[in-house]
Amino acid sequence: MTNAVSMQGVRKTFGPKVAVEGIDLDIPLGSIYGFIGPNGAGKTTTIRMIMSILFPDRGELSVLGKHSAIESKDQIGYLPEERGIYKKMKVGSFLKHIGRLKGLDSHGLNATVMQWLERVELTEVYKKKCEELSKGMQQKVQFIASVLHDPDLIILDEPFSGLDPVNMRLLRGLIDELHTSGKTVIFSTHVMFQAEQLCDHIVMIHQGKKVLDDTIDDIRTRFDPRAIHIAPTAGLGIADEIGQVDGVAHVSVVEGALEVILREGMDPQTAMGKLLAAHPMNRIEIKKPTLEDVFIEIVTGGERGADAEQLRADLLAGENADSEEAAS
Amino acid sequence: MNVSKVLRVAAREFASTAITKGFIIGALVLPAVMVLVIMVVVMVTMRSQPPADAGTIYVLDRSGEVSDVAIDRLSPEQVEQRWIATAEGIKDAAKGLIGGLVGEKANDAIDNAAQMIRYPKFRVIPTAADADIEELKAELREQVATTADSDADIETLIAIVEIDADATRKVNDEEGYGVYQAYFRPKLNEETINEIEDSVRWSIRELRYQNANIDRDTVIELSSVRARKSKEITEQGERNESSGLTNFAIPFASLMLLLMACMTGGQYLLTTTVEEKSSRVVEVLLSAVSPLELMTGKIVGQMGVGLSLLTIYNGVGIAGLVFFNRNDLVTPVTFLYIFVFFLLAYFMFASLMAAVGSAVNDLREAQSLMTPVMMMMILPYIFFMPVIRAPNSLFSTITSFVPPISPFIMIMRVSSNDPPPTWQVMAAIVLNAIAVVLFLWFAAKVFRVGLLMFGKPPNLRTLFKWIRMA
């Protein structure tokens, strides 16, 4: 067994709507995988199928070497997208209840729960009712519920939504720790930079289809936008002159700077030399591709236009909504 | 299925329902408070009887002989004597009726109640035989106008009785006896009016006996027919004819116990399922247990709640019967049947509740799906009278074999005074057991699909689609 999760041709429909369309995927043991894609792309459905909460209409699926997650439920930790807690239950009892359901022995369970509460800096809530906690605190309690039983495979659906930056960092640290200790981690997010920060492997899902499945580094190389951002000392007015420089295909104004797209086969280092030689610059840098750019490029087929801008706006809207949530 | 996980779910379900203030208050304290309130209300009603009337009665006696008898009859001593005798009579009758069901202990309560009777007091003044009735009425009207009810005393004129001259002696056979007429001050107590009229009637009748030369005691003796207590002859021997109260009380109590235990467990099951679904805990749970394990655990947990209630109330019932020395009314087998039929009825009801709970997003949406279920639960109430009047009629027999109301009808029949043959009870148990399996199967299908379906609540057609889907 080398793959924690393996899917072949998995498809799921809800009535007329196709939620997941023929996904093939292998997630090796010990890796950390990010599922990204906009809201409604099919991430949660895919994860629920891995968890055997939903069952695929077609295709093969194996989890931790078994045909279904049901057979290895106790080795899997799952944080659902929708946060669920028993409102009237005390935090300690809730975590112990989940622990017991996950097959943990009641002996020493209390100590394990306390230990985890310490790790997320929430020891004081042990005796509080779940409904008395803030959203962020509930989120952390939920996270503990998913990892309490020391699972080998941890699946986190949108683990960062609703957290403030401090707690985001705390959770990122914990996920990183789990990964380092050899656990397989799968998480989904629609906020792509979180995936960039954490994952070594990205699976991009769009409209139920897998559109990308690669390591971060490979993605960066493959989707090098061949773009250089410059701020000429003479100002943005000299865009036309810049366009005359050898190797430059296209120049446009982006976020208070000029974005220079290079011709096919042009080496960025050489181009930068030529640009500097032609005009004095306040700033010049190679533009790194963000996952957002990659995503947009894949979805729009590399075309730049209204569609791409709309998509970018949608993605940003999602992130902003999220950070506002975190702020409140 | 992982039994330990199922039990874990069941334990939480039970604890979160039964070990709460709300439940303990609802299940134990509330009935106790209700009993207390009823007792207090009864006592207050008894103590707050209107004060007995007192007043003066004018008797305009044209016959010339009635007033003397009536004066004697309405004298305070005689009135008191009669009221005490009546109270004793009522006491004995009450002991016969209520004591028959609840035994000797009730007699004390009846004795106490008898102590509290009040009776009116009268001063009777005969008027001149040729007095003008209109003048007397004017005097009564004057009295009503000048004396408030609260100021009325023995001196206050409260009634006038006018007796015809031929009231006690027939002038001729065609016209028969004459009549009497009474005029009363308004707002007199019912028993005051009755006392006056009864006494006047008694006096007139007494004189008629005398004038006709008939001995009063003879008349009474002739008209009274006594009988020994009726018996029922059964296969085992003979027994006292069961009173109406016994006939109805035990089957009704059994039915109510069963319904209440089922409804309580079922309602809580619905609530917790909807709660788990709407608070999305369900997905966390499903990552640890399968839908079938979850549903089984929840049903078992609430079964514990229903069984606890049943045990507590049954215990109270048994204690009551033992206390009143009437444990012959219910056989131990009946109690066993109550538990057996509870389990059968509960599993069917709970299946429906689990299915409904998993299918909807909140309790409000559950209402429309609950209506048919609730209507079904009302049927046993409606069938109570026909079944209990004839526990072995065709109707009773057939309805006691139709799940899901079968357990309720069967328990009424079993606890009636004419229980069905054992083979019928056994057949009903087997039939219901099969129905339970079908109900659970249906619920499991709906539960599995429903739990993760959010959005538009389903109607019955979608439910059946889910069953095919799962």
Side-chain angles (χ1 to χ4, degrees):
Chain A
M1 184 178 81
T2 51
N3 285 335
V5 176
S6 156
M7 305 168 95
Q8 279 94 40
V10 167
R11 180 187 152 96
K12 178 75 187 174
T13 55
F14 295 111
K17 189 182 165 245
V18 181
V20 171
E21 175 93 74
I23 286 193
D24 301 305
L25 182 64
D26 287 309
I27 299 175
L29 280 173
S31 57
I32 175 161
Y33 259 61
F35 283 15
I36 60 172
N39 298 330
K43 302 184 298 279
T44 298
T45 307
T46 309
I47 284 175
R48 283 181 176 171
M49 282 192 288
I50 296 175
M51 283 308 300
S52 288
I53 289 172
L54 293 175
F55 294 90
D57 303 334
R58 226 184 286 151
E60 290 295 313
L61 199 150
S62 86
V63 181
L64 293 176
K66 307 268 175 58
H67 280 295
S68 129
I70 293 173
E71 292 164 54
S72 41
K73 267 192 166 146
D74 295 348
Q75 280 95 58
I76 303 173
Y78 174 50
L79 175 72
E81 180 185 15
E82 303 277 4
R83 309 295 172 240
I85 38 161
Y86 284 115
K87 291 196 190 90
K88 302 280 172 204
M89 226 170 166
K90 294 204 169 114
V91 171
S93 318
F94 172 71
L95 288 174
K96 280 191 275 183
H97 177 61
I98 298 292
R100 293 285 297 278
L101 282 184
K102 289 282 193 179
L104 283 185
D105 198 41
S106 59
H107 179 76
L109 187 54
N110 213 22
T112 317
V113 167
M114 279 313 286
Q115 223 174 326
W116 269 106
L117 283 174
E118 269 165 41
R119 283 178 80 173
V120 300
E121 298 160 11
L122 273 184
T123 38
E124 76 279 5
V125 304
Y126 183 84
K127 283 207 162 101
K128 277 194 181 165
K129 280 187 181 169
C130 288
E131 63 186 350
E132 294 168 33
L133 305 189
S134 74
K135 206 177 162 200
M137 286 171 167
Q138 290 183 357
Q139 179 92 341
K140 291 202 272 184
V141 169
Q142 281 269 282
F143 176 77
I144 296 177
S146 63
V147 295
L148 189 63
H149 57 297
D150 194 27
D152 301 322
L153 170 62
I154 297 148
I155 300 177
L156 310 166
D157 202 352
E158 299 279 357
F160 299 105
S161 75
L163 289 182
D164 60 59
V166 175
N167 281 312
M168 266 191 205
R169 189 180 303 162
L170 177 76
L171 187 58
R172 211 155 53 215
L174 287 171
I175 295 176
D176 219 29
E177 243 174 77
L178 290 168
H179 171 54
T180 319
S181 68
K183 314 284 187 198
T184 312
V185 181
I186 302 173
F187 76 92
S188 81
T189 177
H190 62 274
V191 186
M192 306 213 177
F193 92 94
Q194 288 168 345
E196 278 182 287
Q197 285 176 314
L198 258 172
C199 296
D200 49 37
H201 207 111
I202 295 289
V203 173
M204 210 175 257
I205 299 173
H206 179 60
Q207 290 175 350
K209 291 188 193 121
K210 186 178 83 171
V211 291
L212 180 71
D213 178 3
D214 222 333
T215 63
I216 289 273
D217 293 340
D218 283 351
I219 291 171
R220 290 241 163 85
T221 324
R222 246 174 71 204
F223 290 89
D224 187 351
R226 315 190 53 70
I228 294 169
H229 278 188
I230 56 170
T233 315
L236 303 184
I238 59 161
D240 287 346
E241 283 93 321
I242 299 282
Q244 305 300 319
V245 177
D246 185 30
V248 173
H250 178 78
V251 180
S252 58
V253 181
V254 174
E255 291 164 12
L258 290 177
E259 185 173 89
V260 179
I261 308 290
L262 303 179
R263 280 212 181 92
E264 211 49 54
M266 188 71 200
D267 174 42
Q269 302 299 333
T270 324
M272 275 167 83
K274 286 188 177 172
L275 281 166
L276 274 172
H279 300 281
M281 302 284 177
N282 284 345
R283 179 164 72 92
I284 180 161
E285 62 185 3
I286 296 177
K287 192 194 169 199
K288 271 194 191 170
T290 64
L291 280 177
E292 241 163 65
D293 298 325
V294 172
F295 182 76
I296 289 161
E297 178 154 350
I298 289 170
V299 169
T300 58
E303 281 171 40
R304 292 170 164 271
D307 282 356
E309 286 316 307
Q310 181 57 45
L311 199 60
R312 186 185 290 273
D314 285 351
L315 286 170
L316 280 172
E319 282 178 31
N320 288 341
D322 225 61
S323 48
E324 270 163 36
E325 221 174 69
S328 68
Chain B
M1 204 187 301
N2 185 327
V3 177
S4 77
K5 284 187 180 186
V6 169
L7 292 179
R8 186 72 216 148
V9 173
R12 199 211 89 88
E13 188 77 16
F14 180 80
S16 70
T17 306
I19 310 176
T20 58
K21 278 185 219 124
F23 181 81
I24 293 169
I25 290 173
L28 305 177
V29 181
L30 219 59
V33 168
M34 265 168 66
V35 169
L36 217 76
V37 166
I38 290 171
M39 281 165 64
V40 168
V41 167
V42 167
M43 275 167 66
V44 168
T45 330
M46 281 176 143
R47 283 183 196 284
S48 65
Q49 277 175 328
D53 291 316
T56 300
I57 304 166
Y58 286 168
V59 179
L60 170 52
D61 181 13
R62 297 209 171 89
S63 74
E65 52 184 359
V66 175
S67 61
D68 287 344
V69 184
I71 287 167
D72 191 39
R73 183 82 182 163
L74 283 167
S75 69
E77 300 76 35
Q78 286 229 11
V79 171
E80 181 179 356
Q81 214 178 342
R82 271 203 309 282
W83 273 80
I84 288 170
T86 312
E88 293 292 328
I90 291 172
K91 216 161 75 176
D92 289 344
K95 281 174 185 171
L97 187 72
I98 304 171
L101 180 72
V102 293
E104 295 298 314
K105 300 278 161 50
N107 294 349
D108 293 344
I110 295 167
D111 283 339
N112 286 336
Q115 300 290 310
M116 295 165 76
I117 53 154
R118 281 138 197 255
Y119 38 85
K121 232 180 202 163
F122 304 115
R123 185 177 65 139
V124 184
I125 300 173
T127 62
D130 55 354
D132 181 6
I133 184 69
E134 291 307 321
E135 270 175 32
L136 295 176
K137 281 199 269 186
E139 192 182 334
L140 178 57
R141 196 174 303 124
E142 170 78 19
Q143 185 88 79
V144 170
T146 52
T147 317
D149 287 337
S150 53
D151 295 336
D153 57 15
I154 193 86
E155 307 287 323
T156 315
L157 179 62
I158 58 167
I160 306 162
V161 182
E162 179 189 12
I163 297 161
D164 283 359
D166 54 354
T168 54
R169 285 173 205 271
K170 276 190 278 190
V171 177
N172 55 53
D173 277 346
E174 285 83 57
E175 284 182 35
Y177 288 112
V179 299
Y180 80 93
Q181 181 165 19
Y183 302 91
F184 292 110
R185 182 188 164 90
K187 292 190 216 160
L188 291 180
N189 290 337
E190 185 79 19
E191 60 265 25
T192 307
I193 293 171
N194 288 342
E195 186 62 49
I196 295 170
E197 299 220 36
D198 287 349
S199 298
V200 171
R201 266 199 301 273
W202 187 90
S203 308
I204 294 174
R205 205 182 295 127
E206 189 66 21
L207 287 162
R208 286 179 188 175
Y209 289 142
Q210 281 176 22
N211 298 338
N213 263 328
I214 299 170
D215 177 33
R216 180 192 176 87
D217 292 340
T218 314
V219 174
I220 292 172
E221 203 178 358
L222 288 176
S223 54
S224 128
V225 181
R226 291 187 300 137
R228 287 198 197 84
K229 195 158 176 67
S230 305
K231 299 276 185 188
E232 276 179 353
I233 303 295
T234 65
E235 289 162 65
Q236 287 81 35
E238 57 184 74
R239 64 179 183 201
N240 285 350
E241 189 190 32
S242 32
S243 65
L245 215 52
T246 323
N247 256 350
F248 287 82
I250 301 296
F252 189 68
S254 311
L255 172 68
M256 290 306 290
L257 266 180
L258 214 58
L259 272 172
M260 187 209 56
C262 276
M263 298 276 248
T264 311
Q267 283 286 358
Y268 277 116
L269 184 66
L270 176 75
T271 319
T272 60
T273 309
V274 171
E275 243 174 53
E276 275 165 9
K277 194 180 166 186
S278 64
S279 73
R280 317 285 165 126
V281 183
V282 71
E283 218 174 324
V284 181
L285 297 176
L286 287 186
S287 73
V289 297
S290 73
L292 189 64
E293 285 167 348
L294 179 62
M295 190 184 86
T296 314
K298 289 177 73 63
I299 291 182
V300 170
Q302 295 296 351
M303 180 187 78
V305 174
L307 274 179
S308 316
L309 276 183
L310 202 58
T311 312
I312 292 167
Y313 288 151
N314 255 336
V316 172
I318 294 173
L321 288 173
V322 170
F323 183 72
F324 291 117
N325 292 326
R326 286 311 303 260
N327 34 356
D328 58 307
L329 283 177
V330 184
T331 61
V333 180
T334 309
F335 280 106
L336 185 70
Y337 280 145
I338 286 181
F339 280 98
V340 171
F341 283 112
F342 161 72
L343 289 181
L344 293 168
Y346 168 76
F347 277 125
M348 286 188 265
F349 188 53
S351 303
L352 294 176
M353 288 303 193
V356 170
S358 68
V360 299
N361 302 309
D362 55 46
L363 280 176
R364 200 162 34 85
E365 282 176 13
Q367 291 307 323
S368 63
L369 283 171
M370 284 290 296
T371 313
V373 181
M374 281 331 230
M375 270 160 67
M376 207 178 63
M377 297 298 280
I378 290 171
L379 283 182
Y381 280 112
I382 300 172
F383 293 165
F384 175 74
M385 279 318 258
V387 168
I388 220 59
R389 283 220 175 100
N392 286 315
S393 68
L394 187 64
F395 175 79
S396 304
T397 312
I398 289 174
T399 48
S400 66
F401 281 99
V402 181
I405 61 165
S406 159
F408 300 105
I409 309 289
M410 209 32 130
I411 201 67
M412 285 193 263
R413 295 183 64 200
V414 166
S415 56
S416 72
N417 60 351
D418 190 8
T422 311
W423 71 264
Q424 279 197 15
V425 184
M426 292 302 149
I429 290 174
V430 172
L431 186 73
N432 278 305
I434 295 168
V436 163
V437 173
L438 289 175
F439 271 76
L440 285 172
W441 172 84
F442 157 84
K445 297 257 173 188
V446 174
F447 198 79
R448 209 186 107 176
V449 179
L451 275 186
L452 292 172
M453 286 276 183
F454 296 101
K456 192 176 157 285
N459 50 26
L460 280 177
R461 230 179 64 211
T462 356
L463 280 189
F464 283 109
K465 224 166 75 194
W466 288 2
I467 294 173
R468 284 207 306 275
M469 233 164 99

